[in-house]
Amino acid sequence: AGGSGGAIYQAGGTLEIISSTLRGNIAGRGGNTGTSGTGGAGGSGGGIYHANGEISLTNTTVVSNAAGARGMFSNSGTAGAGGRGGGIHLAGGELSLHNSTLSGNAAGTNAVGGGIFNAGSVVVHNTILAGNTAAGAQRDFAGTAATGSHNLFGIGGQSGFVNGVDGNLVGTLATPLDPRLGPLADNGGPTQTLALLPDSPALFAADAFAVLASDQRGIVRPQGVAPDIGAFETEVNASVTLGNLEQVFGSTSPPTATTDPVDLDVLIFYNGSTTFPTSTGTFDVRAVATGDGFFGGALDTLVI
């Protein structure tokens, strides 16, 4: 079998990873077989393989790591299994994630858990886990369900999280939730990060009561009306005021938005969607204003 833990292999004890980026690591490839037999299994945990003990990631980016490829065969043999957990493989113990971003990681061929494979205990808060690659619906998370709040999961998989419950934003295999991340780049600070684009659903969506004092780069949180999900906090230098938030069904129209400075472009989300509601109810409203180097936002409630 290929070796596990492309960047880190932890057999026990306590490990804290803070304000770091784990990028481009690969677990070992399974060995090939001859004319018969089965190829070796690929190593698991492209970024991290954790066997026991405790591990925590805080303000950390895990991007473009890969579990090991399966060993192949010639003639009548059988291919091995691909490695699980492109970003992190938790074989046991405890994993906690706070204001971190895991994206662009990949499990081995036909394996699950492109972002995380969990066979232990996982607690996740204010974290992005999206845009990872694996078999079936377990692209971002596979294994034992996690606990936590105010996360963004591109595909919920086996995470146990439900969209709209406990502040979690969760997509499905049929409709993945795009976190709208920029490329890994020098966005300030000592490490490269994945910035949030202006239309990211992670903006102003984190738990203000559980947020960290700064982001991965050292930028103070929160910058705006609420902190951002993930390792990156977008800097705010503009404001938005919303109006027309109490309406009568049958004669509705989008809320008004006034910006300072004036005439900025404003994108409004209703319960996480940019589509204006067509039914009665109470809707969480999030506005994002951009233009000419300015950025700001507002949170409110629309009642129809």
Side-chain angles (χ1 to χ4, degrees), residues 157-188:
Q158 296 174 318
S159 68
F161 293 131
V162 177
N163 187 47
V165 176
D166 295 327
N168 292 304
L169 305 174
V170 184
T172 65
L173 182 61
T175 310
L177 181 58
D178 187 346
R180 300 293 292 142
L181 302 174
L184 189 68
D186 181 358
N187 296 304

Side-chain angles (χ1 to χ4, degrees), residues 109-230:
T109 306
N110 295 330
V112 296
I116 294 175
F117 179 85
N118 176 34
S121 174
V122 174
V123 179
V124 194
H125 290 293
N126 293 343
T127 288
I128 295 173
L129 190 64
N132 301 288
T133 304
Q138 285 75 54
R139 297 177 187 176
D140 293 315
F141 190 99
T144 305
T147 60
S149 68
H150 295 80
N151 303 293
L152 189 159
F153 276 54
I155 298 174
Q158 296 174 318
S159 68
F161 293 131
V162 177
N163 187 47
V165 176
D166 295 327
N168 292 304
L169 305 174
V170 184
T172 65
L173 182 61
T175 310
L177 181 58
D178 187 346
R180 300 293 292 142
L181 302 174
L184 189 68
D186 181 358
N187 296 304
T191 54
Q192 291 186 319
T193 50
L194 299 170
L196 301 177
L197 299 179
D199 57 348
S200 172
L203 291 165
F204 313 126
D207 182 1
F209 296 101
V211 75
L212 303 169
S214 62
D215 75 351
Q216 182 173 332
R217 304 166 297 156
I219 300 299
V220 173
R221 297 183 190 264
Q223 283 284 306
V225 290
D228 302 334
I229 297 175

Side-chain angles (χ1 to χ4, degrees), residues 249 252 275-280 283 304:
F249 185 69
T252 58
T275 302
F276 184 72
T278 57
S279 61
T280 60
F283 305 89
I304 299 178

Side-chain angles (χ1 to χ4, degrees), residues 224-297:
V225 290
D228 302 334
I229 297 175
F232 184 94
E233 180 81 3
T234 302
E235 296 177 79
V236 168
N237 56 3
S239 64
V240 184
T241 302
L242 295 170
N244 191 31
L245 294 169
E246 295 186 5
Q247 304 187 24
V248 177
F249 185 69
S251 59
T252 58
S253 61
T256 60
T258 304
T259 66
D260 182 15
V262 298
D263 297 330
L264 298 180
D265 296 324
V266 179
L267 181 64
I268 300 179
F269 297 84
Y270 310 91
N271 286 356
S273 170
T274 55
T275 302
F276 184 72
T278 57
S279 61
T280 60
T282 301
F283 305 89
D284 293 328
V285 177
R286 179 168 55 93
V288 178
T290 59
D292 297 325
F294 290 97
F295 180 86

Side-chain angles (χ1 to χ4, degrees), residues 85-116:
I88 301 172
H89 182 110
L90 192 72
E94 301 176 4
L95 166 67
S96 62
L97 296 153
H98 297 276
N99 276 108
S100 293
T101 300
L102 290 81
S103 186
N105 304 289
T109 306
N110 295 330
V112 296
I116 294 175

